């Protein structure tokens, strides 16, 4: 069972890296393009408007996707830790503390997943859409829920397999 969780977690990590990279590249493009478009807009006394509609809205929702994807992907080789106290413990206790930490992250991720899932259902039922682009809100909440589920699976893997050693110490 642990081997299956490891494989699924590895796929989810890679998917989160891909999602995060694509969203980040698009976000940088939108912001950069709109900065240049704003310069042209101001230089032409508002005659030429090349700005991307709903850019602020796009970037704000992309930022949520990027943050959740980065959180999931950051656990690939353990999170950076300051071990003033834990580093002085025997290895068995270090592993126990690390596993308890990841159990906490697992619980947090599952709560977030449940809350975003509930929001997805509620926004679908109400037919809510974003303000500028009129994108269905349930899609955004659904993506957030899926990324929180990925975080939960990766945290579960770490809770089952972490030995208390940190990537920055290797």
């Amino acid at each position: 069972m642990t081997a299956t969780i490891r494989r699924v977690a590895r796929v989810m990590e890679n998917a989160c890296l891909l999602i995060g990279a694509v969203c980040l590249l698009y976000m940088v493009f939108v912001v950069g393009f709109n900065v240049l478009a704003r310069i042209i807009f101001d230089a032409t006394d508002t005659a030429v408007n090349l700005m991307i509609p709903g850019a602020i809205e796009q970037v704000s929702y992309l930022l949520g996707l990027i943050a959740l994807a980065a959180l999931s992907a950051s656990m690939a080789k353990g999170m950076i830790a300051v071990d003033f106290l834990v580093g002085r413990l025997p290895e068995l206790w270090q592993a126990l503390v690390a596993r308890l930490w990841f159990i906490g992250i697992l619980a947090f991720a599952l709560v977030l997943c449940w809350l975003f899932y509930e929001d997805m259902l509620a926004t679908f039922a109400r037919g809510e859409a974003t303000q500028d682009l009129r994108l269905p809100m349930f899609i955004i909440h659904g993506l957030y829920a899926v990324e929180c589920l990925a975080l939960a699976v990766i945290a579960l893997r770490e809770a089952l397999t972490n030995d208390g050693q940190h990537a920055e110490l290797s």
Side-chain angles (χ1 to χ4, degrees):
M1 180 161 146
T2 305
T4 302
I5 292 172
R6 283 183 185 201
R7 279 194 304 275
V8 170
R10 174 57 62 193
V11 169
M12 289 182 162
E13 280 174 350
N14 290 335
C16 285
L17 281 172
L18 179 65
I19 289 168
V22 169
C23 289
L24 186 61
L25 287 173
Y26 181 72
M27 188 174 83
V28 168
F29 167 76
V30 167
V31 170
F33 186 85
N34 264 14
V35 166
L36 294 174
R38 183 68 185 203
I39 292 169
I40 294 169
F41 182 75
D42 289 342
T44 61
D45 276 341
T46 70
V48 178
N49 184 3
L50 301 173
M51 288 184 276
I52 298 171
I56 294 172
E57 186 176 82
Q58 290 179 49
V59 169
S60 67
Y61 291 120
L62 286 173
L63 192 56
L65 287 171
I66 292 166
L68 288 170
L71 188 58
S72 298
S74 72
M75 287 194 226
K77 294 180 181 161
M79 300 179 81
I80 294 175
V82 178
D83 285 338
F84 178 73
L85 177 62
V86 177
R88 299 170 195 252
L89 296 174
E91 287 187 24
L92 178 64
W93 282 91
Q94 288 181 17
L96 179 65
V97 168
R99 289 179 182 202
L100 286 174
W101 171 251
F102 287 112
I103 288 170
I105 293 174
L106 169 64
F108 176 68
L110 288 174
V111 167
L112 283 179
C113 183
W114 176 67
L115 291 172
F116 281 125
Y117 176 75
E118 290 292 319
D119 281 347
M120 179 190 73
L121 293 178
T123 55
F124 179 76
R126 290 189 300 257
E128 289 182 27
T130 61
Q131 182 177 349
D132 296 332
L133 298 176
R134 308 304 303 158
L135 298 173
M137 283 299 295
F138 77 91
I139 293 173
I140 295 165
H141 290 290
L143 289 171
Y144 289 171
V146 168
E147 284 195 345
C148 289
L149 180 62
L151 176 61
V153 170
I154 294 165
L156 176 62
R157 181 207 52 209
E158 291 298 318
L160 294 174
T161 64
N162 197 289
D163 60 2
Q165 300 303 312
H166 303 289
E168 73 273 13
L169 300 176
S170 300

